[in-house]
């Protein structure tokens, strides 16, 4: 299954997965353009995978302030994109609640994203999904550019809060 840019934007407006359920951030904090693949049985752990991408625009807001005269995408935004995608996976799985990042095990940076990058790719390998007492997803994720992994995160955790 795939989600187009229009569907991603709808996810940021709320209600895509039902009222009060998982929602992507909108405007400047939305770090995803398209989800090219999502499934609940593939991947390294046989629990699911998700592939997505973001077109890098040299006019993105963060290049003007991080860093002046030496623009790079803040690594925390790539990490946030992985959390965003894990929240999408949980919403797509039909689990109720609003997504919140709960943590990350290990994070390693092996490169940077510059204004001329063109696009970056994200991949999640779902490790585990708990449904009760609160929906929680655990995954490993990568951010890649030109086929090279530049961020790697293990044990990303996102929970879906009720109410």
């Amino acid at each position: 299954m795939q989600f187009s840019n229009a569907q991603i934007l709808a996810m940021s407006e709320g209600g895509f997965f039902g009222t009060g359920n998982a929602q992507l951030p909108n405007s400047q904090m939305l770090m995803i353009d398209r989800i090219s693949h999502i499934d609940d049985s593939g991947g390294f752990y046989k629990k699911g995978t998700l592939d997505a991408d973001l077109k890098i625009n040299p006019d993105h807001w963060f290049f003007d302030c991080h860093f002046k005269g030496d623009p790079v995408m803040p690594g925390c935004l790539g990490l946030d994109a992985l959390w965003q995608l894990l929240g999408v996976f949980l919403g797509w799985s039909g689990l109720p609640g609003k997504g919140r990042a709960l943590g990350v095990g290990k994070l390693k940076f092996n490169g940077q994203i510059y204004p001329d990058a063109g696009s970056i790719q994200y991949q999640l390998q779902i490790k585990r999904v708990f449904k009760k007492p609160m929906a929680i997803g655990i995954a490993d994720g990568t951010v890649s550019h030109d086929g090279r992994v530049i961020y790697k995160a293990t044990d990303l955790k996102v929970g879906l809060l009720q109410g």
Side-chain angles (χ1 to χ4, degrees):
M1 173 172 252
Q2 302 180 55
F3 291 107
S4 69
N5 184 254
Q7 291 170 306
I8 296 294
L9 293 173
M11 288 178 200
S12 76
E13 294 298 321
F16 190 88
F17 296 113
T19 303
N21 289 330
Q23 175 180 347
L24 286 169
N26 63 16
S27 187
Q28 296 179 344
M29 282 304 294
L30 182 60
M31 294 289 118
I32 303 156
D33 286 328
R34 180 178 66 100
I35 296 174
S36 57
H37 176 80
I38 187 170
D39 75 65
D40 61 0
S41 62
F44 186 77
Y45 303 104
K46 306 291 187 224
K47 302 286 185 182
T49 61
L50 191 151
D51 298 313
D53 55 66
L54 173 70
K55 292 178 187 147
I56 299 298
N57 181 338
D59 295 328
H60 272 123
W61 64 272
F62 45 80
F63 288 128
D64 285 337
C65 58
H66 192 268
F67 299 94
K68 189 173 181 92
D70 182 22
V72 296
M73 180 177 170
C76 60
L77 294 179
L79 174 61
D80 198 69
L82 295 173
W83 279 322
Q84 290 175 23
L85 289 166
L86 186 50
V88 166
F89 184 87
L90 294 173
W92 172 79
S93 297
L95 299 169
K98 294 183 178 193
R100 296 294 186 266
L102 299 178
V104 61
K106 292 182 184 178
L107 179 63
K108 184 173 182 177
F109 295 103
N110 295 315
Q112 299 180 72
I113 300 165
Y114 295 102
D116 64 354
S119 68
I120 56 174
Q121 297 73 47
Y122 306 111
Q123 184 174 72
L124 287 182
Q125 298 286 330
I126 307 302
K127 294 174 95 169
R128 190 125 190 226
V129 174
F130 297 94
K131 295 181 180 180
K132 292 185 179 186
M134 176 175 117
I136 296 175
I138 302 172
D140 292 343
T142 59
V143 179
S144 300
H145 176 253
D146 284 340
R148 181 175 160 250
V149 173
I150 56 171
Y151 308 167
K152 183 175 183 177
T154 60
D155 295 323
L156 295 152
K157 291 182 185 131
V158 168
L160 298 180
L161 305 179
Q162 298 292 318

